């Protein structure tokens, strides 16, 4: 049987996996945006995607410019991912680790799970306020 992941003969297996991963990510963000009462189309338009994500977590729209700053953008991406999880009532350390490590799969789970509810923006709130709102 031929190995489709072998690039020496122009194998397309790795490209198929990358495309599949990107497709899952796009569907996950689309569903997540719709769940947050935002336009789904925004998930596939690059700059608009960041602006809508900032509004979902409650950050000012100009915070999307932080993704342009080298090195700081990595920290900021993790911070926004954690705030996104908090917007859905996820407040444990395990949830924070999962959303950072398994980014696309965790977002896919939040987007497709019926029991996951968007609780609203969390930027500027203490963890106690976030937990109290999620408990309601």
């Amino acid at each position: 049987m031929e190995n489709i992941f072998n690039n020496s003969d122009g194998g397309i297996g790795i490209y198929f996996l990358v495309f599949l991963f990107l497709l899952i990510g796009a569907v996950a963000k689309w569903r997540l945006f719709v769940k947050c009462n935002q336009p789904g189309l925004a998930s596939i338009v690059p700059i608009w995607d960041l602006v809508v994500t900032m509004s979902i977590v409650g950050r000012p729209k100009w915070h999307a410019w932080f993704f342009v700053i080298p090195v700081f953008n990595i920290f900021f991406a993790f911070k926004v991912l954690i705030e996104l999880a908090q917007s859905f009532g996820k407040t444990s350390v395990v949830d924070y680790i999962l959303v950072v490590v398994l980014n696309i799969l965790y977002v896919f789970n939040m987007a497709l799970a019926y029991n996951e509810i968007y609780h609203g923006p969390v930027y500027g709130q203490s963890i106690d306020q976030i937990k109290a709102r999620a408990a309601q």
Side-chain angles (χ1 to χ4, degrees), residues 5-135:
F5 299 106
N6 186 359
N7 284 334
S8 64
D9 64 349
I12 61 167
I14 194 73
Y15 297 112
F16 176 74
L17 288 177
V18 168
F19 175 75
L20 184 65
F21 199 61
L22 290 173
L23 183 65
I24 290 171
V27 169
K29 278 192 109 172
W30 187 293
R31 291 283 309 195
L32 190 76
F33 280 19
V34 169
K35 192 176 254 191
C36 297
N37 296 323
Q38 299 293 330
L41 183 63
S43 67
I44 58 175
V45 179
I47 305 297
W48 191 19
D49 169 23
L50 292 175
V51 172
V52 170
T53 303
M54 294 300 112
S55 67
I56 287 173
V57 298
R59 288 185 169 271
K61 291 179 177 31
W62 65 269
H63 279 199
W65 282 103
F66 287 151
F67 284 101
V68 179
I69 303 170
V71 181
F72 179 73
N73 60 358
I74 297 169
F75 164 77
F76 191 68
F78 291 157
K79 180 70 177 149
V80 169
L81 285 171
I82 290 170
E83 289 175 350
L84 186 64
Q86 288 174 341
S87 295
F88 281 85
K90 306 294 185 183
T91 56
S92 72
V93 175
V94 173
D95 287 320
Y96 299 161
I97 292 170
L98 287 174
V99 76
V100 169
V101 174
L102 303 173
N103 175 1
I104 292 177
L105 298 175
Y106 196 84
V107 169
F108 193 63
N109 180 42
M110 285 193 305
L112 294 181
Y114 291 110
N115 59 349
E116 301 294 338
I117 300 169
Y118 175 64
H119 297 287
V122 296
Y123 176 67
Q125 296 181 359
S126 71
I127 194 69
D128 294 328
Q129 291 173 323
I130 296 168
K131 285 181 180 180
R133 189 173 54 176

